[in-house]
């Protein structure tokens, strides 16, 4: 049997790096550290690697490209993250191509496959809420394609990620509701298998425990991230004989569903039901009453995720965990005591 030609993919797999990293190392690209360049060149010599001149001519015309997959591209949060990624990528000479998973694992898998077919240099991803099987990401890892998660993450032992301090922020927001007179505080979240949901719910529960307030299962609703689903959950709680007097909402979709449900029941915010949610400044200050919010530094999150990906493309295989702090802005919907309101 004739011996099979050694490819860039073979070298990348042996070294546990991306094909792009191997190619740049062989060309002594300054983006790749000297140690990695030496490793790649030594292995290429050992395995008698010979470049394919036709493939090289095609690659020389190809742009440097990063793929980004997000659950819901039309929301301000993901648009702002994408803007941060593009800002950082542009500095390094990369173009960005984005895909919307529509919160579907099937669409997410298809997007990852498409990125692979396009030979992107690396991928940045935020999990769809339907994703419970991570085999498509494992395949990307085994192929040596750099991958960084942001927001909703998985397999933290294998991939670098950028997340927010949702647990601390949720605990602080719940404490604010308690300090301003609320006692029956509800949490409306997304699917429990998402790490982002677990972190935020944990912070909420910790605040209740620290203040020796009872944890009522009827006041915790973790279901799909969907406006109608969140509306029904809020209405169910508001129709209870002993309804909640405050709500902590998981994201902007759920926050504004809860806001609408409270008004639909003819209740006053915050006098009857206080409300604070993880949402953005763009939406929260243009409703009446103005929304108290836990705000992400979404642009910074995107920039940081892109920085980590560029490090990986350059041959840095260390697993990084970056946490971007969130900011709590108290407006009119949460503080029952007038003296506790800020940002007037």
């Amino acid at each position: 049997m004739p011996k099979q030609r050694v490819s860039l993919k073979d070298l990348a797999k042996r070294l546990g790096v991306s094909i792009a990293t191997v190619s740049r190392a062989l060309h002594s690209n300054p983006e790749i550290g000297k140690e990695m360049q030496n490793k790649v060149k030594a292995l290429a010599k050992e395995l008698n690697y010979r470049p394919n001149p036709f493939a090289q001519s095609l690659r020389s015309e190809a742009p440097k490209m990063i793929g980004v997959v997000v659950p819901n591209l039309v929301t301000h949060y993901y648009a702002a993250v994408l803007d941060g990624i593009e800002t950082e990528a542009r500095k390094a000479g990369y173009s960005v191509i984005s895909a919307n998973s529509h919160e579907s694992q099937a669409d997410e898998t298809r997007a990852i496959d498409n990125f692979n077919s396009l030979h992107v240099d690396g991928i940045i991803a935020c999990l769809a809420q339907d994703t419970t099987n991570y085999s498509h990401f494992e395949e990307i890892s085994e192929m040596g394609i750099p991958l960084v998660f942001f927001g909703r993450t998985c397999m933290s032992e294998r991939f670098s990620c950028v997340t927010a301090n949702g647990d601390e922020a949720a605990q602080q927001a719940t404490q604010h509701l308690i300090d301003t007179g609320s006692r029956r505080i509800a949490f409306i979240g997304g699917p429990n298998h998402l790490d982002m949901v677990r972190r935020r719910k944990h912070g909420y529960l910790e605040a209740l425990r620290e203040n020796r307030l009872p944890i009522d299962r009827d006041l915790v609703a973790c279901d799909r991230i969907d406006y109608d689903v969140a509306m029904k959950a809020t209405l169910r709680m508001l129709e209870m004989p002993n309804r909640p007097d405050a709500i902590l909402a998981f994201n902007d979709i759920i926050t504004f569903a809860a806001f609408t449900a409270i008004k639909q029941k003819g209740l006053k915010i915050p006098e009857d039901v206080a409300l604070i949610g993880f949402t953005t400044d763009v939406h929260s200050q243009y409703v009446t009453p103005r929304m108290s919010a836990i705000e992400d530094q979404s642009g910074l999150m995107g920039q940081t995720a892109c920085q980590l990906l560029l490090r990986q493309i350059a041959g840095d295989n260390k697993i990084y965990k970056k946490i971007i702090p969130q900011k709590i802005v108290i407006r009119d919907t949460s503080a029952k005591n007038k003296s506790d309101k800020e940002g007037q």
Side-chain angles (χ1 to χ4, degrees):
M1 292 290 290
K3 190 173 181 181
Q4 188 173 0
R5 181 191 293 269
V6 176
S7 67
L8 285 176
K9 183 177 178 181
D10 296 325
L11 298 177
K13 189 171 183 180
R14 283 281 293 268
L15 291 166
V17 298
S18 71
I19 293 171
T21 296
V22 170
S23 176
R24 289 179 187 138
L26 290 172
H27 289 87
S28 302
N29 189 307
E31 291 182 12
I32 309 300
K34 283 291 182 185
E35 184 180 352
M36 178 57 68
Q37 287 187 32
N38 293 336
K39 281 183 182 180
V40 171
K41 291 173 181 177
L43 182 62
K45 185 175 181 181
E46 177 190 335
L47 299 181
N48 196 29
Y49 166 75
R50 292 289 182 272
N52 181 331
F54 177 69
Q56 277 190 324
S57 68
L58 290 177
R59 276 196 296 272
S60 67
E61 301 299 322
K64 298 196 294 183
M65 195 156 50
I66 290 170
V68 182
V69 57
V70 298
N72 190 346
L73 194 51
V74 300
T75 66
H76 182 268
Y77 169 75
Y78 291 114
V81 171
L82 185 59
D83 185 69
I85 292 170
E86 289 178 338
T87 298
E88 203 65 28
R90 195 181 305 116
K91 294 177 189 175
Y94 283 84
S95 298
V96 174
I97 181 170
S98 61
N100 194 342
S101 73
H102 305 283
E103 298 284 12
S104 159
Q105 178 169 328
D107 286 352
E108 178 182 271
T109 302
R110 192 175 301 112
I112 295 296
D113 288 343
N114 288 340
F115 289 155
N116 185 24
S117 299
L118 290 168
H119 300 287
V120 298
D121 295 281
I123 297 171
I124 298 173
C126 179
L127 289 179
Q129 65 174 313
D130 287 351
T131 300
T132 55
N133 180 304
Y134 310 129
S135 58
H136 49 307
F137 294 119
E138 291 172 341
E139 289 174 9
I140 289 295
S141 175
E142 289 164 5
M143 292 173 67
I145 299 172
L147 172 64
V148 172
F149 284 106
F150 75 90
R152 309 175 196 167
T153 71
C154 66
M155 295 186 288
S156 58
E157 75 289 345
R158 197 163 181 173
F159 298 107
S160 292
C161 63
V162 184
T163 58
N165 63 334
D167 50 349
E168 295 176 17
Q171 185 168 353
Q172 292 167 12
T174 307
Q175 186 63 53
H176 158 70
L177 292 171
I178 294 168
D179 290 343
T180 52
S182 297
R183 290 297 177 268
R184 284 184 55 76
I185 303 168
F187 175 78
I188 305 178
N192 280 309
H193 68 268
L194 291 177
D195 60 332
M196 182 187 282
V197 174
R198 292 196 301 269
R199 286 193 297 270
R200 294 178 181 184
K201 183 166 71 171
H202 174 75
Y204 155 78
L205 293 172
E206 281 298 294
L208 296 185
R209 292 188 188 103
E210 285 193 2
N211 289 273
R212 302 180 187 276
L213 292 177
I215 295 171
D216 187 340
R217 292 179 182 272
D218 290 333
L219 295 182
V220 179
C222 290
D223 204 326
R224 286 194 61 77
I225 302 170
D226 177 88
Y227 186 88
D228 291 335
V229 170
M231 270 279 288
K232 288 177 183 176
T234 309
L235 290 170
R236 174 187 62 78
M237 291 180 183
L238 296 178
E239 289 164 2
M240 294 166 54
N242 192 10
R243 68 171 183 246
D245 58 6
I247 294 172
L248 173 65
F250 169 73
N251 71 352
D252 49 359
I253 292 171
I254 293 173
T255 299
F256 286 97
F259 182 87
T260 303
I262 296 168
K263 289 207 160 191
Q264 186 175 303
K265 296 298 290 183
L267 299 169
K268 293 181 180 179
I269 304 173
E271 292 82 359
D272 296 321
V273 185
L275 176 63
I276 187 168
F278 287 81
T279 183
T280 61
D281 182 66
V282 170
H283 299 104
S284 52
Q285 61 181 323
Y286 298 119
V287 294
T288 304
R290 294 180 305 158
M291 186 76 68
S292 292
I294 306 152
E295 297 176 358
D296 280 290
Q297 298 187 70
S298 42
L300 179 59
M301 181 168 282
Q303 287 180 297
T304 305
C306 190
Q307 288 166 2
L308 295 185
L309 186 71
L310 292 172
R311 283 189 196 179
Q312 200 173 338
I313 290 172
D316 184 351
N317 292 321
K318 183 179 176 182
I319 304 299
Y320 292 92
K321 302 284 183 291
K322 297 289 185 180
I323 297 175
I324 307 298
Q326 294 174 299
K327 180 175 66 172
I328 299 177
V329 180
I330 304 305
R331 297 190 180 93
D332 301 329
T333 61
S334 65
K336 296 186 178 184
N337 304 325
K338 291 287 185 184
S339 60
D340 292 305
K341 293 181 183 177
E342 298 173 7
Q344 299 294 313

